[in-house]
Amino acid sequence: MVALLAWGHAFGQNTLDTDKHLNFYHIWGLLKYQHPALATGKVSADSLFLRYLPLVDSAQTQKQANSVYQALLKEVGPSPLAKVDKVRDHPKGTLLVQNLNDHWYTRSKFLNSNNRKQLENIFQRRYTAEPHQYVTIRNNPYGGTLPNEPKYVFPEKENLPYPMRMLALAKMKAAIDYLFPYKYLMDESWETAIAQAIPLFAQCPSRQEYERLLLTLNAKLNDTQGYSFFRQLHHKDKIFKNSYYPPFDYQVVEEKILVTGIIDPALCRRSNIKVGDVLGSLDDIALTEWVKALGAVLSVSNQQALWHRVGEYGDNFLFRSEDAVMKVHLQRGQDTLQTTLRLMDPTDPAKAKLIDGYFKKKQAPGKKRVGLEMVSKDIYRFKAHDTNRYIENASEEREAVIMDSLFRIAVKGKGIIFDMRGEPDNSDFVFLDVFRKFGRGNSYFARYYLMNAGTVGTYKLLTQPEVYYPTTVTPEGYAYDGKVVILVNGATQGVGEWLTMNLQHMFPNSITLGEQTAGADGDLKRLNLPGNYVMEFSGNAIFYPNQRPTQRTGVKVDLTVKPTLKNTLAKKDDQLLKALEIIREEAPKPEAKK
């Protein structure tokens, strides 16, 4: 079962077929992002690729392949631009150059000397202006959908033609080569991944297989911002073989499945399933083994991010079964049981109604909270995903008054908890409101690197203060003498990680508590792929001031605290409980002088 999601091995083509394609994609990517004719839109990158693909395919020898490349370079012509300056990281740390790699042509044994010389000439006279046909996103220099990338829509059951599949592969390769700042952090060489994919994309027999190949290649980015790629697939149920759903709600805790609610009472009785049961294996496959296999097709920055996401009921990744029954081993108190689990068919209207009713009730909004949340005596909590309610529809002046009044109350307490375990509903809460009260002058809490238009493929450090703090605000610099705890977990991602770093800077004595975060920061970029798919990835690079990366590793966590089965079942929050314990803890009294 686990092997069904494996990437597979190249088959049916020789080394020449892979090498000539790989070099063609390299050349096309360089032209697309560096040659002025393509960068200004005078020549269509896609049209150029599609016209030369059959010529590359027809090349029977390395010499013939080089003749095709030479014809391609001759048609595009040498760059008319003057020679530009060398790429220099000066002063050191102002430019990220880790992804730049010219070895594929300067040291190539496949390309002839004439082609190597022409490619070097193009790079030395590369396009350095803006706008760029395939890079410049209108009205947003940070992120968004990359421009001038057609969707190439096909009926969902129709396999894409061979040229479109290879174009998709070439687009993915070039975009990650030039627009993904964290390519150097990937587990596997991107070059190797593309080389393995070439024969698989070429021989792909169906739309379902095409989607599986896209999914697997996307996973190799090791970027949690690309995790949700699977949700747009038309054949995901067949790829994951997970059409049947469990008759109970659950959470993944301690790398096990904890039953937390009953959706279909009749099926649960027949299956001998009760709230509090703990499932460690499904159909004799240990949950840890299955989640590891899922990591081969789901893009995540780290294993904690994977475990945090695979337990989503609607995605149904854990209950992989082609039948309506599966064998499970479970723990109930001190007893170990084996039972036959009967699954739900969501296409059955009665079962769909049960699922819909259960989650509507579960997600129904409770009583609207008013004012500050006091989680314990003299301890206040601000939830990142629940701050907009404080200032909803308020003017900027009114917002400042409201937030100041709330902070005036909070600072009288013994401690403040900033709960960042969710998607922030208002990033200005930290950036503007917290800074206005607690900030102190310049607040360079991070190093943000934006794509460098002067050399696409590198990233320049942004030093403008407004990137890091609101320059129109004079902070009060309030010196809070209570304890500050910041809660994080695998749901802390992107802007949540960015804002957590900001809080850590404003409260240098704070304790960041919880689990490793998603490790995926930097504004999102989106690339349209043939078949109307969208690949998403972190488009810019974020570091701490000391150049410690946040990508893949996440933000700094001072104290790791994981949810436990016992407390989760009792609806107790282990991380919050630990935060309260830390805040209540009295400082040790100094020893009396002798």
Side-chain angles (χ1 to χ4, degrees):
M1 181 172 74
V2 175
L4 290 175
L5 288 175
W7 175 238
H9 299 284
F11 59 92
Q13 292 204 354
N14 56 38
T15 303
L16 174 64
D17 290 330
T18 298
D19 286 348
K20 69 184 182 182
H21 269 258
L22 190 59
N23 280 278
F24 175 45
Y25 299 171
H26 264 308
I27 294 170
W28 179 74
L30 178 68
L31 295 176
K32 178 177 182 178
Y33 290 113
Q34 306 286 13
H35 196 290
L38 283 78
T40 59
K42 293 179 181 177
V43 173
S44 164
D46 288 9
S47 297
L48 196 67
F49 179 91
L50 294 172
R51 282 195 291 109
Y52 276 88
L53 177 64
L55 299 178
V56 171
D57 284 334
S58 64
Q60 298 297 309
T61 64
Q62 182 176 332
K63 182 177 180 181
Q64 289 175 0
N66 271 276
S67 295
V68 175
Y69 306 150
Q70 192 164 334
L72 168 61
L73 294 172
K74 183 178 180 181
E75 178 182 335
V76 175
S79 172
L81 303 178
K83 189 174 182 179
V84 297
D85 291 336
K86 291 183 178 179
V87 180
R88 291 192 180 95
D89 177 22
H90 184 76
K92 189 173 178 59
T94 58
L95 203 65
L96 292 183
V97 297
Q98 288 97 325
N99 285 343
L100 273 191
N101 180 11
D102 60 6
H103 293 175
W104 65 269
Y105 66 87
T106 59
R107 301 182 185 180
S108 174
K109 295 181 180 180
F110 191 91
L111 297 173
N112 62 34
S113 59
N114 184 54
N115 284 330
R116 292 199 301 269
K117 183 178 179 181
Q118 289 189 65
L119 292 167
E120 176 65 16
N121 182 273
I122 290 170
F123 181 75
Q124 292 299 331
R125 291 169 171 77
R126 61 191 174 274
Y127 182 75
T128 60
E130 289 193 277
H132 189 297
Q133 177 78 353
Y134 300 107
V135 169
T136 305
I137 300 170
R138 184 179 297 178
N139 301 325
N140 188 349
Y142 299 103
T145 300
L146 294 163
N148 302 302
E149 299 285 2
K151 296 180 178 180
Y152 297 112
V153 179
F154 291 84
E156 63 184 56
K157 293 184 179 180
E158 179 181 320
N159 192 18
L160 271 65
Y162 163 78
M164 282 289 125
R165 300 196 304 270
M166 306 318 283
L167 176 62
L169 182 58
K171 280 175 177 280
M172 293 179 78
K173 176 184 171 9
I176 298 307
D177 278 343
Y178 290 94
L179 305 178
F180 182 46
Y182 301 118
K183 187 182 79 165
Y184 71 100
L185 291 176
M186 293 163 59
D187 284 342
E188 182 180 347
S189 157
W190 188 233
E191 178 107 350
T192 300
I194 296 298
Q196 291 176 345
I198 287 170
L200 302 178
F201 272 74
Q203 300 179 13
C204 174
S206 67
R207 184 65 169 270
Q208 178 181 324
E209 180 64 11
Y210 174 65
E211 291 190 339
R212 189 184 72 84
L213 293 175
L214 290 177
L215 181 72
T216 309
L217 192 57
N218 179 75
K220 293 181 182 292
L221 301 184
N222 303 125
D223 182 9
T224 309
Q225 300 226 60
Y227 173 80
S228 62
F229 185 85
F230 67 90
R231 293 199 174 111
Q232 59 192 304
L233 304 183
H234 303 294
H235 300 276
K236 59 179 179 293
D237 290 350
K238 293 180 180 177
I239 291 172
F240 290 101
K241 295 181 172 58
N242 61 349
S243 298
Y244 295 98
Y245 285 66
F248 52 81
D249 193 11
Y250 59 92
Q251 283 183 248
V252 175
V253 186
E254 296 181 11
E255 299 187 351
K256 295 180 175 63
I257 296 171
L258 172 65
V259 179
T260 58
I262 302 299
I263 298 175
D264 187 330
L267 277 187
C268 284
R269 282 194 298 272
R270 292 181 64 196
S271 303
N272 190 21
I273 294 290
K274 298 180 180 180
V275 170
D277 287 347
V278 178
L279 285 64
S281 66
L282 305 171
D283 273 346
D284 294 324
I285 301 294
L287 190 63
T288 51
E289 184 180 351
W290 177 236
V291 172
K292 181 180 178 181
L294 286 170
V297 290
L298 299 172
S299 184
V300 286
S301 302
N302 54 63
Q303 285 300 298
Q304 176 61 35
L306 178 63
W307 277 100
H308 189 85
R309 285 159 178 76
V310 294
E312 180 69 32
Y313 185 92
D315 295 334
N316 195 33
F317 280 134
L318 303 182
F319 293 86
R320 175 185 171 87
S321 177
E322 295 184 83
D323 302 310
V325 296
M326 64 190 318
K327 183 171 62 177
V328 300
H329 294 85
L330 61 86
Q331 192 78 25
R332 181 177 295 159
Q334 300 301 313
D335 298 326
T336 300
L337 309 174
Q338 179 175 314
T339 187
T340 299
L341 174 62
R342 289 162 173 81
L343 301 167
M344 304 174 72
D345 181 356
T347 62
D348 180 336
K351 301 302 182 185
K353 186 176 180 180
L354 283 174
I355 295 172
D356 186 58
Y358 175 85
F359 284 101
K360 276 186 177 179
K361 183 177 180 180
K362 179 181 177 181
Q363 297 164 4
K367 185 178 179 181
K368 190 173 183 179
R369 186 181 295 112
V370 178
L372 284 176
E373 179 190 9
M374 183 186 286
V375 289
S376 186
K377 186 179 180 181
D378 291 336
I379 300 175
Y380 297 91
R381 174 166 66 166
F382 294 95
K383 293 181 179 179
H385 64 277
D386 188 32
T387 61
N388 199 48
R389 65 185 176 86
Y390 298 131
I391 48 90
E392 196 169 3
N393 300 320
S395 65
E396 186 175 336
E397 294 77 12
R398 179 62 182 155
E399 175 182 341
V401 173
I402 293 171
M403 295 311 304
D404 183 64
S405 67
L406 295 177
F407 288 136
R408 282 178 182 274
I409 297 171
V411 296
K412 293 178 181 178
K414 194 171 185 178
I416 297 176
I417 298 171
F418 292 100
D419 193 338
M420 306 302 291
R421 299 174 298 175
E423 184 176 356
D425 64 353
N426 176 19
S427 59
D428 275 351
F429 170 71
V430 172
F431 181 77
L432 182 62
D433 299 321
V434 178
F435 177 79
R436 184 187 284 116
K437 183 69 176 179
F438 302 99
R440 291 180 178 82
N442 296 345
S443 185
Y444 289 91
F445 63 89
R447 294 171 71 86
Y448 185 109
Y449 289 84
L450 182 69
M451 190 203 70
N452 177 22
T455 300
V456 177
T458 65
Y459 301 81
K460 60 183 179 181
L461 176 66
L462 295 185
T463 57
Q464 301 93 317
E466 60 269 19
V467 173
Y468 305 96
Y469 59 91
T471 55
T472 57
V473 171
T474 301
E476 180 181 336
Y478 185 89
Y480 177 56
D481 58 7
K483 294 182 180 179
V484 174
V485 177
I486 305 168
L487 300 182
V488 297
N489 66 5
T492 311
Q493 175 178 332
V495 67
E497 293 176 295
W498 173 258
L499 297 176
T500 297
M501 295 166 69
N502 196 346
L503 289 170
Q504 290 173 334
H505 179 84
M506 281 191 278
F507 301 97
N509 295 321
S510 64
I511 294 176
T512 302
L513 178 158
E515 300 165 277
Q516 184 179 27
T517 61
D521 203 353
D523 297 78
L524 201 65
K525 282 191 170 67
R526 301 178 180 89
L527 172 70
N528 290 329
L529 295 173
N532 197 20
Y533 303 97
V534 181
M535 182 174 72
E536 298 181 328
F537 53 91
S538 301
N540 299 306
I542 308 296
F543 296 80
Y544 277 97
N546 64 359
Q547 213 66 9
R548 176 196 181 279
T550 59
Q551 186 74 7
R552 303 208 63 182
T553 58
V555 302
K556 291 184 293 185
V557 177
D558 300 309
L559 181 62
T560 298
V561 178
K562 294 179 178 291
T564 61
L565 288 165
K566 178 181 177 181
N567 279 342
T568 301
L569 186 60
K571 301 188 184 307
K572 293 181 180 180
D573 185 336
D574 286 277
Q575 293 160 351
L576 179 59
L577 290 173
K578 187 63 178 179
L580 296 175
E581 178 187 323
I582 289 172
I583 292 172
R584 292 185 188 125
E585 189 177 56
E586 296 291 339
K589 295 180 180 180
E591 293 184 12
K593 294 182 179 179
K594 295 181 179 179

